[in-house]
């Protein structure tokens, strides 16, 4: 028996590993996009390394820029950029809110709470399998991030939502371009409502629009809030092509408002996003 | 102990490069697979069992950083690691052209196996495949053969 094990050691280890993976896969398939504990553990161990690498390179770049080039100007510029970034977010949310809010007291309450409701963070990683599925951001549960919190780009366009796993200082964001993402949206012009799903290739599809409903190319889509995850009024994308084939619904392609190549800084809406954006309503 | 340290450093370097390249360019990160190169490198230098075990570790790390079925990269990298070590023990795969073809065929095999498993589990997953992924074997093989050439020149790698 011992001799047999010795001779067949390699084959036994290989088949054990294959068996181990098949068990992992068969556990994972029914879970869908939910992560199992093993995956969470690996993510929790390696995401700080990723964070550290990005931090190191960011710091190295900063040292180079700060000390070898216009140190003061660089610093001021950076501060102004960050301030502008936040102000843009505030401005965009305020505009949306002002359309809805009526009482002055409500507006005051809204403004006082708004500034603390955003968390600016950096993208530190992308999805290895498909870049349009998810990203990793440099804030985690210690910063107050929770599942389903809404993530926007620097102009306030919808990027996605926080999903598991969330480690102490990192979190994963499911992008709206992910094939398994779904956002309830409405057209600003025709008021046609549907579900926006990612195509996994950087764009989205607007689903459940009947051939009789009128929608046109160039129409802007915003979140409707009906999914109870994404607050209403956030700009999501623009319709770029419409096909009416023999199917029950129109085939509508949507270009996202956020630019994938510009995803460096993002904003997370803290707390219940609906409360944050609709405070005072 | 020495093997463990070497392998750990190798995996950390692969993870480091994977992170950096993702930060530099999203597209480039789809074209180059540093984890597979690490698996092949250790499979050549240390044998098929190490190849399989490192394939498991690297594959699972890669899986945990992507939204998909956890275990698919692990399985494909395990098989590729074992195969790479098995072949490298019998054939000298270090000459440049042979090395390039060796890596190319292995990564095509890995990609094909992953795609097959995704198709097998759900055709929906297959819709997400970006065309860039299909160029990954070629780009990674070019990079890998150049890296291995340098490693040979500096006598880090020998048959």
């Amino acid at each position: 028996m011992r001799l047999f094990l010795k001779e067949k050691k390699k084959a036994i280890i290989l088949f054990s590993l294959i068996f181990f993976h098949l068990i992992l896969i068969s556990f994972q398939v029914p879970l869908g996009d939910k992560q199992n504990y093993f995956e969470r553990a690996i993510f929790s161990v390696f995401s700080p390394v990723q964070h550290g690498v990005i931090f190191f390179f960011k710091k190295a770049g900063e040292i180079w820029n700060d000390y070898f080039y216009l140190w003061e100007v660089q610093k001021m510029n950076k501060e102004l950029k960050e301030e502008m970034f936040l102000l843009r977010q505030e401005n965009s949310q305020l505009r949306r809110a002002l359309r809805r809010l009526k009482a002055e007291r409500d507006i005051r309450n809204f403004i006082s709470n708004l500034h603390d409701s955003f968390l600016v963070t950096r993208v530190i990683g992308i999805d290895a399998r498909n870049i349009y599925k998810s990203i990793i951001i440099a804030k985690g549960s210690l910063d107050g991030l929770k599942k389903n919190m809404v993530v926007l780009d620097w102009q306030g366009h919808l990027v996605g939502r926080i999903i598991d796993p969330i480690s102490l200082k990192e979190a994963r964001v499911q992008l709206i371009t992910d094939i398994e993402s779904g956002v309830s949206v409405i057209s600003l012009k025709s008021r046609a409502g549907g579900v926006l799903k990612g195509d996994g290739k950087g764009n989205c599809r607007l689903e459940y629009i009947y051939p009789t409903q009128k929608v046109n190319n160039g129409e802007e889509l915003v979140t409707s809030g009906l999914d109870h995850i994404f607050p209403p009024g956030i700009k999501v994308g623009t319709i770029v092509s419409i096909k009416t084939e023999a199917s029950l619904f129109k085939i509508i392609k949507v270009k996202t408002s956020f630019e994938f190549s510009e995803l460096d800084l993002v904003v997370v809406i803290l707390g219940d996003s609906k409360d944050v954006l609709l405070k005072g309503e | 102990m020495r093997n463990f340290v070497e392998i750990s450093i190798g995996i950390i370097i692969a993870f480091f490069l994977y992170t950096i390249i993702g930060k530099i360019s999203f597209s480039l990160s789809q074209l180059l697979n540093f984890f597979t190169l690490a698996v092949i490198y250790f499979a050549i230098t240390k044998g098929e069992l190490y190849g399989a075990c490192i394939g498991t570790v690297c594959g699972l790390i890669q899986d945990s950083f992507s939204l998909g079925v956890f275990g698919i990269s692990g399985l494909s990298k395990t098989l590729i690691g074992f195969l790479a070590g098995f072949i490298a023990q019998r054939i000298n795969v270090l000459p440049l052209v042979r090395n390039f073809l060796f890596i190319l065929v292995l990564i095509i095999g890995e990609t094909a196996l992953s795609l097959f498993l995704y198709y097998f589990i759900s055709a929906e997953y297959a819709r997400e495949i970006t065309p860039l992924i299909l160029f990954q074997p070629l780009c990674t093989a070019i990079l890998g053969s150049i890296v291995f050439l340098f490693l040979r020149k500096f006598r880090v790698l020998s048959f």
Side-chain angles (χ1 to χ4, degrees):
Chain A
M1 183 65 181
R2 192 173 287 174
L3 191 70
F4 172 80
L5 285 176
K6 200 176 176 185
E7 277 180 1
K8 304 285 177 190
K9 186 181 153 196
K10 287 179 183 174
I12 290 169
I13 292 177
L14 177 68
F15 283 108
S16 305
L17 288 173
I18 292 172
F19 184 69
F20 169 69
H21 281 105
L22 291 176
I23 295 282
L24 275 182
I25 293 168
S26 54
F27 267 111
Q28 183 60 46
V29 170
L31 288 176
D33 268 355
K34 284 182 188 164
Q35 277 71 33
N36 60 45
Y37 289 110
F38 193 48
E39 187 176 359
R40 281 180 198 209
I42 296 178
F43 181 83
S44 299
V45 169
F46 278 89
S47 57
V49 180
Q50 193 174 39
H51 203 148
V53 171
I54 295 296
F55 181 76
F56 172 77
F57 268 81
K58 192 174 151 254
K59 281 289 160 202
E62 277 177 6
I63 288 167
W64 176 266
N65 286 333
D66 289 352
Y67 287 96
F68 291 94
Y69 299 99
L70 311 163
W71 193 87
E72 278 302 322
V73 178
Q74 180 87 8
K75 198 179 165 195
M76 199 185 288
N77 190 28
K78 200 174 133 193
E79 281 169 7
L80 286 170
K81 268 186 181 171
E82 276 177 14
E83 199 180 331
M84 190 181 79
F85 185 78
L86 278 170
L87 287 171
R88 269 179 195 262
Q89 295 298 326
E90 273 189 24
N91 188 26
S92 128
Q93 304 302 342
L94 280 167
R95 277 171 191 274
R96 265 202 294 275
L98 278 169
R99 275 187 229 126
R100 294 189 298 265
L101 300 172
K102 291 180 182 76
E104 194 187 328
R105 198 178 57 186
D106 293 339
I107 296 173
R108 273 207 210 102
N109 286 340
F110 178 79
I111 291 169
S112 64
N113 286 313
L114 197 60
H115 199 88
D116 300 328
S117 310
F118 293 119
L119 186 70
V120 180
T121 181
R122 197 166 282 277
V123 176
I124 58 167
I126 53 162
D127 198 309
R129 195 168 70 84
N130 184 330
I131 52 175
Y132 302 115
K133 276 185 87 68
S134 66
I135 52 173
I136 314 283
I137 56 172
K139 298 280 183 208
S141 55
L142 284 181
D143 305 291
L145 295 200
K146 286 179 191 152
K147 195 178 168 186
N148 284 340
M149 282 183 173
V150 177
V151 180
L152 310 175
D153 75 351
W154 69 287
Q155 288 180 308
H157 301 143
L158 186 65
V159 171
R161 67 185 175 107
I162 306 271
I163 55 165
D164 284 329
I166 307 168
S167 68
L168 296 176
K169 290 300 284 179
E170 296 82 20
R172 179 178 284 166
V173 177
Q174 181 186 41
L175 299 174
I176 56 169
T177 49
D178 178 19
I179 210 159
E180 298 194 12
S181 149
V183 184
S184 174
V185 294
I186 190 164
S187 165
L188 277 178
K189 197 176 170 193
S190 63
R191 308 307 291 173
V195 175
L196 191 84
K197 292 192 136 202
D199 67 358
K201 287 168 185 166
N203 286 308
C204 296
R205 290 171 281 127
L206 178 59
E207 297 193 341
Y208 310 118
I209 300 288
Y210 290 107
T212 49
Q213 284 179 283
K214 280 187 181 174
V215 281
N216 297 309
N217 281 339
E219 279 188 27
E220 282 190 0
L221 300 175
V222 295
T223 50
S224 69
L226 293 175
D227 48 29
H228 298 289
I229 294 175
F230 301 99
I234 299 176
K235 202 175 160 191
V236 177
T238 310
I239 294 174
V240 287
S241 78
I242 303 165
K243 281 182 196 165
T244 309
E245 290 177 356
S247 57
L248 187 59
F249 301 107
K250 285 185 176 181
I251 299 167
I252 301 173
K253 189 177 173 186
V254 177
K255 188 184 182 310
T256 57
S257 296
F258 79 89
E259 280 294 329
F260 195 80
S261 56
E262 291 172 5
L263 273 189
D264 186 31
L265 283 176
V266 290
V267 168
V268 183
I269 301 176
L270 296 172
D272 186 344
S273 53
K274 216 161 39 176
D275 287 349
V276 172
L277 295 175
L278 300 179
K279 241 164 216 154
E281 241 187 4
Chain B
M1 186 63 190
R2 195 182 157 203
N3 277 345
F4 178 76
V5 173
E6 271 181 33
I7 290 164
S8 302
I9 292 171
I11 293 172
I12 287 173
I13 290 173
F15 187 71
F16 182 88
L17 291 170
Y18 155 77
T19 303
I20 291 301
I21 215 82
K23 198 69 192 161
I24 294 169
S25 161
F26 293 134
S27 307
L28 209 55
S29 68
Q30 298 276 284
L31 292 174
L32 300 171
N33 194 332
F34 294 105
F35 286 114
T36 304
L37 281 185
V39 172
I40 293 173
Y41 171 78
F42 286 115
I44 291 174
T45 53
K46 301 202 181 295
E48 59 261 52
L49 271 189
Y50 279 96
C53 293
I54 296 161
T56 295
V57 175
C58 286
L60 292 181
I61 293 171
Q62 204 173 331
D63 275 332
S64 71
F65 280 84
S66 65
L67 269 183
V69 181
F70 185 66
I72 285 189
S73 288
L75 179 59
S76 52
K77 280 192 170 49
T78 301
L79 291 172
I80 292 312
F82 187 85
L83 199 63
F86 185 80
I87 295 169
Q89 299 282 311
R90 284 151 187 84
I91 306 167
N92 180 5
V93 291
L94 293 181
L96 185 64
V97 177
R98 209 183 291 174
N99 190 247
F100 168 75
L101 291 173
F102 175 69
I103 300 172
L104 182 69
V105 169
L106 283 174
I107 303 178
I108 287 174
E110 187 200 343
T111 311
L113 183 62
S114 302
L115 291 181
F116 169 75
L117 288 169
Y118 273 115
Y119 265 111
F120 185 72
I121 289 165
S122 164
E124 190 80 346
Y125 283 112
R127 281 173 55 194
E128 300 181 350
I129 306 299
T130 49
L132 273 181
I133 285 279
L134 301 176
F135 289 97
Q136 193 186 77
L138 182 68
C139 296
T140 310
I142 291 170
L143 177 76
S145 50
I146 293 168
V147 170
F148 284 16
L149 180 73
F150 275 101
L151 291 175
R152 254 184 99 196
K153 287 260 186 250
F154 294 107
R155 296 176 189 278
V156 179
L157 202 62
S158 61
F159 188 73

